[in-house]
């Protein structure tokens, strides 16, 4: 995998894919909000905070992302351009899209918004992760915690965190419904489908130097892309 934040390899394609993914992610969140049928756990939390504070949904999303990013410090996680952009771009886009999408759709249209939002969210995840410029702050929090405590499962840590924020969001007045269940069941398979198809290939490896006479030959390592795919599959 290219180092986080390293733009020397295909910078135009990677930046385009990163920001297309983040914009699509914000649009997908707005579609689920306007469906009124339930949100994913973090967005239930964001919506609950928004209703309690009077701040816009996007503003709360940015603020929570910034706080989560601060939690990377004791975990010694290194954010990339994609991580910082994730905090800012998604919140701005979701507010703009909510302002453009009217409320009060009939039920069939709301169901279509929900399904379209979940599918778009999976594609957006594949786009911005595939650019390899850093994970979102919430994903990095989970993987960073597990890296500091190798005995813990990413899946278990993710479940605990998301159940906690879901419960808090519901108590704060966030929308929990059939969309919450549909997202939980659908986002894993969707991300697993989109991530390998949208991940950019590894940069060309430098030609290995010939070993000195008598020196042991280097041991080949598995491709970074394969390791990355396994990591993202476990994450989701």
């Amino acid at each position: 995998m290219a180092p986080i934040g390293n733009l020397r390899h295909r910078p135009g394609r990677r930046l385009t894919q990163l920001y297309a993914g983040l914009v699509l992610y914000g649009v997908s969140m707005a579609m689920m909000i306007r469906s009124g049928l339930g949100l994913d756990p973090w967005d239930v939390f964001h919506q609950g905070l928004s209703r309690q504070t009077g701040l816009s949904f996007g503003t709360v999303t940015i603020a929570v992302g910034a706080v989560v990013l601060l939690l990377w410090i004791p975990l010694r996680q290194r954010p990339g351009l994609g991580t910082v952009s994730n905090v800012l771009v998604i919140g701005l886009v979701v507010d703009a899209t909510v302002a453009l999408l009217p409320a009060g759709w009939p039920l069939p249209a709301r169901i279509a918004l929900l399904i379209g939002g979940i599918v778009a969210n999976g594609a957006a995840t594949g786009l911005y992760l595939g650019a390899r410029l850093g994970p979102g702050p919430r994903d990095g929090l989970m993987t960073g915690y597990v890296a500091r405590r190798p005995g813990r499962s990413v899946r278990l840590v993710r479940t605990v965190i998301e159940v906690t924020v879901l419960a808090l969001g519901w108590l704060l007045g966030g929308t929990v419904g059939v969309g919450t269940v549909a997202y939980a069941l659908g986002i894993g398979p969707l991300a697993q489908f989109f991530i390998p198809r949208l991940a950019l290939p590894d940069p060309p490896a430098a030609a290995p130097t010939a070993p000195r006479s008598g020196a042991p030959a280097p041991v080949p390592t598995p491709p970074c892309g394969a390791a990355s795919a396994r990591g993202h599959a476990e994450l989701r």
Side-chain angles (χ1 to χ4, degrees):
M1 181 185 296
I4 292 176
N6 181 356
L7 282 170
R8 287 177 294 179
H9 178 64
R10 304 180 70 180
R13 167 65 190 275
R14 293 172 71 197
L15 287 171
T16 300
Q17 181 165 324
L18 169 67
Y19 289 108
L22 295 178
V23 169
L24 182 60
Y25 204 102
V27 170
S28 73
M29 288 167 60
M31 292 171 69
M32 289 187 282
I33 291 169
R34 284 304 191 212
S35 79
L37 296 172
L39 303 170
D40 70 90
W42 277 102
D43 285 343
V44 172
F45 181 59
H46 297 149
Q47 188 179 59
L49 282 177
S50 174
R51 288 175 173 174
Q52 294 298 320
T53 61
L55 298 173
S56 72
F57 188 98
T59 300
V60 170
T61 301
I62 292 170
V64 171
V67 170
V68 172
L69 195 54
L70 290 176
L71 297 177
W72 283 34
I73 296 173
L75 298 176
R76 298 180 183 177
Q77 287 282 88
R78 185 182 65 176
L81 174 63
T83 309
V84 178
S85 298
N86 183 295
V87 173
L88 298 173
V89 173
I90 291 177
L92 296 174
V93 171
V94 70
D95 271 355
T97 308
V98 165
L100 292 173
L101 278 177
W105 295 75
L107 183 59
R110 291 165 60 199
I111 293 172
L113 278 173
L114 174 66
I115 295 172
I118 294 172
V119 174
N121 194 275
T125 299
L127 281 168
Y128 88 77
L129 286 178
R132 299 183 176 182
L133 289 170
R138 296 157 187 82
D139 287 340
L141 175 65
M142 289 177 275
T143 55
Y145 179 83
V146 172
R148 299 286 291 174
R149 291 166 175 78
R152 305 292 173 87
S153 161
V154 173
R155 200 163 293 175
L156 175 61
V157 172
R158 182 187 184 93
T159 300
V160 169
I161 292 175
E162 296 206 351
V163 167
T164 301
V165 297
L166 176 62
L168 289 173
W170 177 72
L171 290 172
L172 292 169
T175 304
V176 178
V178 65
T180 309
V181 178
Y183 184 92
L185 295 176
I187 193 60
L190 285 167
Q192 191 167 8
F193 174 82
F194 283 113
I195 286 170
R197 286 166 175 79
L198 297 173
L200 295 179
D202 292 330
T209 57
R212 297 189 303 273
S213 177
V219 178
T221 56
C224 292
S228 174
R230 286 195 301 273
H232 291 319
E234 172 67 12
L235 177 62
R236 291 287 167 188

